[in-house]
Amino acid sequence: MYIGVDVGGTYTDAVLLEKNQIKASAKAPSGKNLLSSILEAIDKVLQGVDPGRLKRIVFSTTMITNLIAERKYDPVALLLIPGPGLSYTYYQFNTFTRILTGTIDYRGRETVSLKEREVEAALDEIADQGFKKVCVIGKFSPRNTSHEKRLAMLVKEKYPDWEVELGHLAGGQLNFPRRVVTTYLTAATRESFHHFLNLVRQSLAERQITAEALILKADGGTLPMENSDKIPVETIFSGPAASTLGALALTSPGETAVIADIGGTTTDLALILNGQPLLSAKGARIEGQLTQVRTLAVKSVPIGGDSVLERMGNEIIIHGKRMGPAYCMGGPVPTPTDALRVLGLTTLGDQNRAAEAMAILGERNGSRVIAEKILNLVVDGISSQINKMFQEWELEPAYRVWEILQKRKVRPSTVVGVGGGANGLVDRIAEKLGCRSIIPPYAAVANAVGAAVAKTTLQLSLRADTERGSYLLQEEGFEGKIDSKQFNEKQALDILRERLIRMAARHGLDVKPEQLEVTHQEVFNMVRDWQTKGRLIDITVQTPRGITGRIEAGGQEG
Amino acid sequence: MRCKQTGLIFFPAFDWAISPTHPEREERLLYTRDQIFEEGIIDLPQIAEFTPQLASIHDIARTHFCVPQVESQTTEAHLIAAGAAITLADQIVAGLIDNGFALVRPPGHHAMRVVHGNRGFCNINNEAVMVEYLRSRHGLKRVAIIDTDVHHGDGTQDIFWHDPDVLFISFHQDGRTLYPGTGFIYELGGPCAYARTINIPLPPGTTDDSLLYIVDNLILPVLEEFRPDFIVNSAGQDNHYTDPLGSMRITAQGYARLTEKLRPDLAVLEGGYAIETALPYVNMAIILALAGLDYSNVREPDFWPGRFKETSQRTEQLKRLVDGLLKHWKNRDTTLTGRGKTVNGYYEREKLIFYDTDYIEEHQTEKLRICSNCTGYLSIESEVSHGFGQAGKVLCLSVPFGACSKCRNEAADLYTGAKKSVVYNYIYLQDKSSDYLLGYDTKAGKEWRP
């Protein structure tokens, strides 16, 4: 049995799955105290069930999102080693920052060494300011970790009680400013996140729940709770990931589809390309700051069932805000839900009040006419954003000839509607896009279903430079020697497979070598003076992404 | 606060090479990619990244005579590189971005009007294709192309030689010391476009200071008077002091200042083969300079200020060079002779062209109709010999933008007449004034419209 819990802004949802069937689902209002909402939802779905039968419980939580939004995190000082390049005036990290001497180049060669004297002086300043958390981030540190590691040692020698966060571990992609922000947010939120996870674990223990507990990440993968406090920022924005996975679990495999999660205030859009949720090309933007956190490509459109409608001259305008429930449900202003009610596309609320809402918008004798008009407005708004999303995906830069040539004309075949506002709207959106529409059963708790079926995914990247005679395993920060000039992709893949399987085993994941997927592979011959001097090999392998299974019909809608 | 952005297309063609160990290979922009990505400059609000469209066959045929056809001289990579320049140019002309940099491979500035193969790593002239696209589609009148590659931009020069509306200025390492061995001060354009081609051969070892002297005292004043609608920079990076092919001493800072002074609408990458020691830094510096960002912290690992000093002798030499060229520029409208002869109203010259990459020798007879109503149509008879014997003759007829009806008709008649000829294998008509293009295979008796 699995439990999925999704902590949303308004509600905390939970579902109980058994053999791909939903056995129970529950909603609890999300209060100030996240923990009590979570426990309330879990207790509801577990009624009459022996907790010993639970195998795993997966959480999608806004904990880190809230923490960062409310700036309730710990003060962190930054030690940066940017070397030459972009002027430092463009680095605005809004915290105590010291720039240190030292340069690593794109190949991972040290071109300027650290000045330890200078480091000491910087540490004294940080100590004077009262910081106990320090991030050490170097430009090109994923290509050579030595400066960051050496600095961390110097910090630990002088201030053993400080926490030090290393850039190459928090942000292993190439992008120094994003690495800084990612490392900073990791350091800032770790302690609170750790504390929160401990509380969750304790509460589970009190309920005799011994099932494996996992946290959902923004890219739709999960991590065991014991490991997830290493990378707290990766749990940010797991809500949209949860609803995407949920919709995936509730529909048939292999499709190219749009998932429209139509809520009260917003519609969240996600793309499924050939059965796989599309990842965003760049990392997440968190509170305006760009990070390296991998997320699903999700677009939030400010149109929902409860959006405020207003008449301006002859036009009707949709405002990107909610002032309460729909007019037909006792709300203060006309909304798209009222239009749906008038057209008989929903049974929510009161028919007469819905007609009244149309009258407020100025159409006294033909409320159906204006309701149609509103519906078209909403459908146009959402479908044009869907088209835009596909266009944006097509326009994502590509750096190879074949990528540019094959990246054309992919359009969805299906629109999957989840969320409260999906009924009545999704059919029309699909019609507009020339797709078929699906509103799966349990669409209202798709988020929690998504959390329940999320898979643990791990990835490992290797970069080898045969001329320099070394390779680096990014996620582990491990540097190895290459003895032979003949080192090739096959050997690199062998190393990756072996280490990733071991890593997976540590995470309680049973993966066979043939299941591992190569997600990135790049090999360049280094030619100097018409001679091949070595090879640059970049490979990333991943355990299978996706979901543990698809939900079969049956059970009860809660 | 500037509101418009600098558009960037980064297309390193990581899966295209002339041959595995050729300088123009997959690895060329790898370290540039690493540097640009690591610096995070694509995330800056001043930069907007675009994905290239492919240039169409028609776009290529509007500029080039590809023998036998465009498809046989281009790969998709070429269409993407030229398409990248077009994509950015469209954005700039529409006023959506401030300026742009097409950081693309393969390069193009050695590709001439007639294309039998690859010359100097180039098949298709990305800048010329883009410029002719802009004139045809957006009606641009006057364009300036500033070629800052260490090699003479002989392809671009050839394409615009007779065109008074396209100013072509190239500075480069003296042709007596470097491929392609042309670009001397006396190469000043055809009879109707005198001094609209300006060549500035520089002695090996030229430094930032001398280069900027030329920009300030020659290029900028000429640009000021020419008043172009659009400025293109053929941005070769092989003047860098570490370049393996060139012998100049220009730094990343020098390139940034050059870019800042030229203020091109669009820069298009050309050569530059110091893929580790120069390209990451020079490309970064150019992007920052275009975007109006502070580039003062960009520097090569082995550079220190004051490393390269100019000799007073060289400074004097350059001053004389600049003064001489300015004199030609001043007399541009009163001088009507190019090198070659004018017989019965037709200006004629012979050309020998060597394709270093593909080992082809081409012989051309170029004939320009001297016309009082337009710049005159051009006919080119081109004959090539590959290493393995004669490959025959082709006839290329090019009618310029704004051509008069007499020139248009005469060229069209020549084309029709030549279809019955046994002398030519292929005949081409390229009417830029109406964007009407034709090709004819005399052996097969087949006509096509590219």
Side-chain angles (χ1 to χ4, degrees):
Chain A
M1 277 183 155
Y2 293 173
I3 283 183
V5 182
D6 175 64
V7 187
T10 338
Y11 285 104
T12 296
D13 297 333
V15 293
L16 179 71
L17 291 188
E18 187 177 23
K19 291 181 184 143
N20 293 335
Q21 290 194 358
I22 295 176
K23 288 291 168 195
S25 70
K27 269 184 190 299
S30 296
K32 270 254 168 245
N33 183 345
L34 284 187
L35 187 67
S36 63
S37 315
I38 290 172
L39 295 174
E40 192 188 327
I42 293 179
D43 289 343
K44 277 189 189 167
V45 291
L46 267 184
Q47 257 172 18
V49 178
D50 169 17
R53 292 178 59 204
L54 268 185
K55 281 192 93 165
R56 70 200 283 262
I57 177 162
V58 185
F59 296 91
S60 151
T61 162
T62 50
M63 150 88 198
I64 291 293
T65 319
N66 298 347
L67 210 67
I68 294 172
E70 290 160 25
R71 301 194 145 266
K72 281 187 190 153
Y73 45 73
D74 306 319
V76 178
L78 300 178
L79 282 175
L80 306 184
I81 328 164
L86 190 66
S87 165
Y88 306 153
T89 52
Y90 301 112
Y91 297 147
Q92 303 290 342
F93 300 117
N94 299 323
T95 189
F96 187 86
T97 307
R98 280 291 165 269
I99 305 259
L100 300 175
T101 308
T103 309
I104 302 281
D105 80 355
Y106 43 81
R107 287 273 304 278
R109 296 169 296 212
E110 180 188 68
T111 55
V112 178
S113 50
L114 293 173
K115 282 194 182 141
E116 301 204 350
R117 273 270 179 74
E118 188 189 78
V119 177
E120 270 182 42
L123 290 184
D124 290 345
E125 276 186 90
I126 290 171
D128 285 348
Q129 300 279 327
F131 289 96
K132 300 220 158 203
K133 290 184 163 66
V134 190
C135 293
V136 173
I137 306 127
K139 204 178 273 176
F140 285 115
S141 66
R143 296 276 162 92
N144 179 343
T145 58
S146 66
H147 280 182
E148 284 185 0
K149 284 178 177 161
R150 176 74 193 136
L151 264 181
M153 261 177 62
L154 292 173
V155 176
K156 280 285 172 198
E157 272 169 22
K158 210 163 174 195
Y159 299 101
D161 60 322
W162 286 11
E163 274 178 44
V164 189
E165 203 72 48
L166 299 184
H168 70 272
L169 291 177
Q173 307 297 311
L174 284 186
N175 192 317
F176 175 69
R178 286 183 186 242
R179 183 177 312 121
V180 175
V181 174
T182 312
T183 314
Y184 170 78
L185 291 176
T186 304
T189 55
R190 166 166 297 154
E191 205 172 301
S192 316
F193 194 56
H194 188 74
H195 179 67
F196 171 74
L197 292 184
N198 269 343
L199 285 178
V200 173
R201 269 194 291 247
Q202 256 174 41
S203 314
L204 294 180
E206 280 166 21
R207 284 164 175 73
Q208 268 92 45
I209 299 175
T210 51
E212 187 190 13
L214 305 118
I215 293 274
L216 188 68
K217 295 189 295 170
D219 66 358
T222 61
L223 271 182
M225 266 195 197
E226 306 89 75
N227 297 75
S228 57
D229 61 344
K230 283 204 184 112
I231 38 147
V233 282
E234 292 195 19
T235 68
I236 202 160
F237 303 140
S238 58
S243 73
T244 308
L245 294 182
L248 200 60
L250 294 166
T251 52
S252 45
E255 285 193 82
T256 290
V258 182
I259 291 165
D261 183 350
I262 307 175
T265 5
T266 60
T267 296
D268 289 332
L269 301 172
L271 303 188
I272 307 276
L273 297 179
N274 305 319
Q276 282 278 0
L278 178 68
L279 285 166
S280 160
K282 291 178 175 170
R285 182 186 284 270
I286 302 176
E287 291 294 304
Q289 288 185 293
L290 298 167
T291 71
Q292 293 192 3
V293 175
R294 279 201 339 161
T295 62
L296 296 187
V298 182
K299 184 175 201 136
S300 196
V301 185
I303 301 176
D306 300 342
S307 296
V308 174
L309 295 174
E310 198 189 0
R311 186 171 191 116
M312 300 267 266
N314 276 330
E315 297 300 314
I316 291 171
I317 288 174
I318 307 177
H319 290 284
K321 59 177 181 191
R322 176 183 192 262
M323 282 173 63
Y327 194 80
C328 64
M329 294 171 79
V333 288
T335 67
T337 303
D338 297 313
L340 291 175
R341 184 67 180 92
V342 165
L343 295 171
L345 294 170
T346 178
T347 51
L348 289 173
D350 176 65
Q351 174 77 36
N352 292 331
R353 263 187 79 86
E356 224 175 284
M358 296 303 106
I360 294 173
L361 291 170
E363 200 77 29
R364 276 166 223 294
N365 30 26
S367 59
R368 286 188 70 89
V369 177
I370 198 159
E372 250 331 306
K373 201 169 167 184
I374 293 165
L375 195 63
N376 283 337
L377 214 59
V378 171
V379 168
D380 283 355
I382 296 173
S383 25
S384 69
Q385 291 298 325
I386 291 174
N387 279 329
K388 220 171 147 196
M389 233 182 142
F390 274 92
Q391 279 159 17
E392 278 164 13
W393 174 73
E394 279 163 19
L395 288 177
E396 259 171 28
Y399 306 114
R400 284 170 180 75
V401 176
W402 70 265
E403 287 173 333
I404 288 188
L405 296 181
Q406 64 126 39
K407 239 193 168 181
R408 278 144 217 282
K409 34 178 198 289
V410 176
R411 285 293 176 272
S413 55
T414 311
V415 180
V416 183
V418 295
N423 276 313
L425 281 174
V426 167
D427 287 346
R428 294 292 191 97
I429 294 169
E431 196 186 322
K432 179 113 198 159
L433 296 169
C435 298
R436 72 201 173 88
S437 67
I438 300 177
I439 296 183
Y442 310 106
V445 288
N447 291 11
V449 172
V453 298
K455 248 185 184 175
T456 298
T457 31
L458 296 169
Q459 68 163 32
L460 190 57
S461 313
L462 175 144
R463 177 183 169 86
D465 185 328
T466 67
E467 196 191 34
R468 290 186 60 222
S470 63
Y471 69 87
L472 214 111
L473 293 168
Q474 213 174 72
E475 287 74 6
E476 300 188 326
F478 173 84
E479 207 159 342
K481 286 259 161 296
I482 296 173
D483 311 323
S484 157
K485 284 262 176 219
Q486 305 311 313
F487 186 86
N488 59 23
E489 295 133 274
K490 199 190 157 298
Q491 282 155 295
L493 266 173
D494 288 345
I495 294 177
L496 276 171
R497 289 209 175 97
E498 193 214 311
R499 307 252 335 188
L500 185 56
I501 283 170
R502 263 198 279 163
M503 189 203 264
R506 285 200 300 278
H507 285 99
L509 207 62
D510 182 25
V511 190
K512 308 264 172 304
E514 61 273 14
Q515 291 175 304
L516 298 178
E517 188 191 344
V518 177
T519 53
H520 175 80
Q521 183 162 5
E522 202 176 84
V523 182
F524 286 94
N525 285 325
M526 282 181 282
V527 178
R528 300 294 174 266
D529 303 323
W530 305 84
Q531 300 278 324
T532 304
K533 286 279 171 15
R535 238 177 243 122
L536 288 173
I537 302 172
D538 265 298
I539 304 180
T540 303
V541 241
Q542 191 177 57
T543 60
R545 272 209 314 149
I547 49 177
T548 57
R550 290 194 144 71
I551 305 300
E552 294 157 16
Q556 274 185 320
E557 197 152 357
Chain B
M1 193 45 201
R2 42 189 289 142
C3 48
K4 281 190 201 162
Q5 295 169 297
T6 290
L8 180 69
I9 288 183
F10 179 59
F11 182 67
F14 283 149
D15 49 357
W16 183 89
I18 289 180
S19 70
T21 56
H22 194 280
E24 199 49 77
R25 65 177 178 275
E26 297 89 341
E27 187 194 359
R28 187 171 158 226
L29 290 177
L30 178 62
Y31 312 106
T32 294
R33 190 252 335 240
D34 289 354
Q35 191 74 36
I36 291 174
F37 282 20
E38 177 67 355
E39 298 282 2
I41 55 181
I42 292 169
D43 288 336
L44 291 172
Q46 292 88 347
I47 309 282
E49 194 182 14
F50 293 85
T51 193
Q53 328 150 358
L54 272 72
S56 68
I57 298 297
H58 186 89
D59 289 331
I60 308 293
R62 186 191 291 120
T63 302
H64 291 290
F65 295 105
C66 291
V67 184
Q69 294 198 333
V70 173
E71 290 85 341
S72 48
Q73 292 296 344
T74 54
T75 62
E76 282 110 351
H78 294 105
L79 299 181
I80 295 169
I86 288 176
T87 304
L88 287 176
D90 268 336
Q91 296 279 328
I92 294 160
V93 170
L96 299 171
I97 52 173
D98 209 25
N99 54 23
F101 188 12
L103 194 37
V104 298
R105 317 176 35 237
H109 76 148
H110 295 302
M112 296 186 166
R113 198 191 291 263
V114 183
V115 180
H116 290 281
N118 186 299
R119 295 185 71 246
F121 316 169
C122 308
N123 288 70
I124 293 301
N125 196 310
N126 299 326
E127 292 88 333
V129 168
M130 179 268 297
V131 165
E132 299 301 67
Y133 169 89
L134 283 184
R135 296 166 88 191
S136 176
R137 290 294 186 82
H138 297 286
L140 258 66
K141 289 275 176 280
R142 298 157 82 76
V143 179
I145 303 173
I146 316 297
D147 190 312
T148 57
D149 192 279
V150 78
H151 304 93
H152 176 223
D154 56 349
T156 317
Q157 168 169 309
D158 177 67
I159 293 169
F160 298 109
W161 184 257
H162 294 294
D163 197 328
D165 293 325
V166 177
L167 172 69
F168 175 70
I169 304 179
S170 175
F171 67 70
H172 42 262
Q173 189 177 320
D174 194 311
R176 288 168 297 187
T177 64
L178 191 67
Y179 179 87
T182 52
F184 298 103
I185 45 172
Y186 54 76
E187 294 169 39
L188 286 157
C192 303
Y194 189 77
R196 267 62 158 209
T197 294
I198 294 177
N199 282 295
I200 311 158
L202 299 172
T206 299
T207 64
D208 290 355
D209 288 344
S210 297
L211 198 66
L212 297 171
Y213 174 85
I214 283 165
V215 173
D216 287 335
N217 295 284
L218 177 60
I219 299 179
L220 293 181
V222 167
L223 277 177
E224 173 94 356
E225 283 186 45
F226 184 73
R227 299 204 171 278
D229 301 324
F230 198 85
I231 301 177
V232 184
N233 178 204
S234 266
Q237 311 190 337
D238 30 16
N239 286 293
H240 193 262
Y241 64 90
T242 62
D243 193 84
L245 306 180
S247 317
M248 308 291 259
R249 292 191 291 181
I250 307 304
T251 67
Q253 284 294 312
Y255 267 107
R257 283 164 67 199
L258 169 72
T259 309
E260 196 173 52
K261 283 173 184 289
L262 284 180
R263 296 168 47 100
D265 292 293
L266 179 59
V268 182
L269 180 71
E270 284 299 335
Y273 299 93
I275 61 173
E276 286 208 66
T277 48
L279 263 52
Y281 310 105
V282 175
N283 280 316
M284 167 97 185
I286 291 179
I287 295 170
L288 294 180
L290 281 172
L293 294 160
D294 179 358
Y295 54 77
S296 59
N297 193 36
V298 178
R299 82 180 163 267
E300 302 84 341
D302 60 345
F303 177 75
W304 64 92
R307 183 170 166 189
F308 303 113
K309 287 202 183 67
E310 202 60 281
T311 62
S312 57
Q313 188 199 356
R314 201 198 307 266
T315 309
E316 272 308 305
Q317 192 186 339
L318 286 177
K319 208 172 163 303
R320 284 198 299 276
L321 181 75
V322 166
D323 292 346
L325 284 168
L326 276 176
K327 230 173 254 164
H328 287 293
W329 171 250
K330 290 249 150 36
N331 296 332
R332 64 190 178 280
D333 293 326
T334 49
T335 313
L336 285 171
T337 50
R339 297 195 149 202
K341 56 180 193 291
T342 304
V343 183
N344 296 333
Y346 293 87
Y347 164 87
E348 203 176 305
R349 64 168 182 164
E350 305 281 319
K351 284 193 296 182
L352 275 172
I353 297 157
F354 180 58
Y355 291 68
D356 61 321
T357 318
D358 283 348
Y359 261 74
I360 301 168
E361 266 178 30
E362 181 189 3
H363 177 255
Q364 281 188 11
T365 308
E366 203 186 78
K367 238 183 190 177
L368 178 78
R369 180 168 187 266
I370 304 291
C371 178
S372 48
N373 297 318
C374 68
T375 54
Y377 81 88
L378 186 72
S379 88
I380 301 166
E381 232 184 47
S382 157
E383 188 168 15
V384 292
S385 68
H386 300 266
F388 43 85
Q390 293 303 108
K393 255 188 192 175
V394 300
L395 178 67
C396 310
L397 297 156
S398 181
V399 180
F401 289 103
C404 70
S405 57
K406 186 140 196 263
C407 281
R408 290 183 59 192
N409 290 337
E410 199 174 307
D413 289 346
L414 264 180
Y415 172 82
T416 314
K419 279 160 86 170
K420 297 179 194 89
S421 141
V422 287
V423 181
Y424 304 116
N425 291 347
Y426 298 96
I427 307 153
Y428 307 91
L429 177 67
Q430 177 188 70
D431 187 343
K432 296 187 188 187
S433 67
S434 60
D435 204 18
Y436 184 67
L437 313 171
L438 284 173
Y440 188 79
D441 179 340
T442 55
K443 282 208 182 98
K446 261 173 92 174
E447 187 163 74
W448 70 91
R449 289 182 63 174

